[in-house]
Amino acid sequence: MSKQKQSRLFLTILVLLMTMVIAACTQQASPEEKLFDIMEETVVVEEAFVAQQEPLQERERQESEYYNQIIELSLEEFDQIVEISDKALASVAERKELVMTEQEAIQSSQNTFAGAFDIVEGMEEGIAEEEARSLLDLMTKRYEAYDALNESYQQSLRLDQELYELFQDKELTLEALKAQIEEVNASYEDLSAKHDAFNDATNNYNEAKRTFYENAGLVDNEEAEV
């Protein structure tokens, strides 16, 4: 065999060996590392959820201003009431779209996180496995808290829409308006409680995730949050 052929053969074997080493390293990722990848992917997926919060809050503030403007007007200014309530109804419709995007992001997060369950099932018993199972439980509770929050928000949206539609009714009675406002206020109280529960669930998950990352040597005192 010529030296040139020997050189080519050597290079071919070397490339094959390097490919096998790389493949082996990839296949040898620990369960902790695989969980890390999944949990960090959920963070990326939920960026769309985070992006909806500011525009939602902005529209909520604007609708509050619309409401205050409307109740300052008299029936003699009915045309202005209709004009302002139209703006409020348009804002409610925009919030519905934003919440839909938010909901889709959480659903995508759930779909991504689902892969963590099989990984944890394959882990050896020990502290890491216990912490991982706790993470699964906490994230499941977080998703459940979001579902409750979303349901409450949808109810609040419906009542807000009904309120601004009532403002456009010339035959609206004080009793009907009072009853609707009471329903709206009650929905806001429920929404606030559901929002707090979701935030608590998120904080609990983040704390457990940070501990898991640090104990597994996956991060070095870094913040690990949803």
Side-chain angles (χ1 to χ4, degrees), residues 3 62 78 95 97 116 155 205-207 214:
K3 290 184 178 180
Q62 184 62 66
F78 185 71
R95 282 199 289 140
E97 293 295 324
Q155 171 74 350
Y205 169 74
N206 280 332
E207 287 296 327
E214 290 174 354

Side-chain angles (χ1 to χ4, degrees), residues 9 39 50 195 203:
L9 180 60
M39 288 188 284
V50 175
H195 195 272
N203 290 335

Side-chain angles (χ1 to χ4, degrees), residues 142 196 198-208 210 225:
R142 178 175 177 268
D196 288 343
F198 175 70
N199 284 342
D200 288 343
T202 299
N203 290 335
N204 290 339
Y205 169 74
N206 280 332
E207 287 296 327
R210 186 180 300 110
E225 298 182 355

Side-chain angles (χ1 to χ4, degrees), residues 87-200:
K87 292 179 181 178
L89 286 168
S91 180
V92 170
E94 290 173 356
R95 282 199 289 140
K96 287 182 180 180
E97 293 295 324
L98 292 169
V99 169
M100 186 178 297
T101 301
E102 174 190 274
Q103 188 175 7
E104 289 171 353
I106 293 295
Q107 184 59 58
S108 294
S109 171
Q110 257 184 297
N111 293 340
T112 299
F113 193 78
F117 288 85
D118 287 339
I119 294 173
V120 174
E121 284 300 319
M123 293 179 70
E124 294 182 2
E125 292 185 5
I127 295 177
E129 183 257 354
E130 291 177 4
E131 290 180 346
R133 288 191 181 280
S134 177
L135 278 171
L136 297 185
D137 181 61
L138 289 170
M139 190 56 143
T140 298
K141 289 179 179 177
R142 178 175 177 268
Y143 288 134
E144 291 172 351
Y146 173 78
D147 289 341
L149 171 61
N150 180 261
E151 183 178 348
S152 179
Y153 200 94
Q154 297 287 358
Q155 171 74 350
S156 179
L157 281 170
R158 182 181 66 78
L159 292 171
D160 283 343
Q161 179 175 335
E162 290 177 359
L163 175 62
Y164 292 114
E165 288 173 347
L166 277 178
F167 279 130
Q168 298 186 341
D169 182 5
K170 273 190 174 183
E171 306 302 319
L172 174 64
T173 65
L174 184 60
E175 290 78 11
L177 178 60
K178 182 180 178 182
Q180 184 67 25
I181 290 174
E182 287 177 352
E183 277 198 79
V184 168
N185 288 338
S187 75
Y188 288 170
E189 290 180 9
D190 181 71
L191 182 60
S192 178
K194 296 295 195 303
H195 195 272
D196 288 343
F198 175 70
N199 284 342
D200 288 343

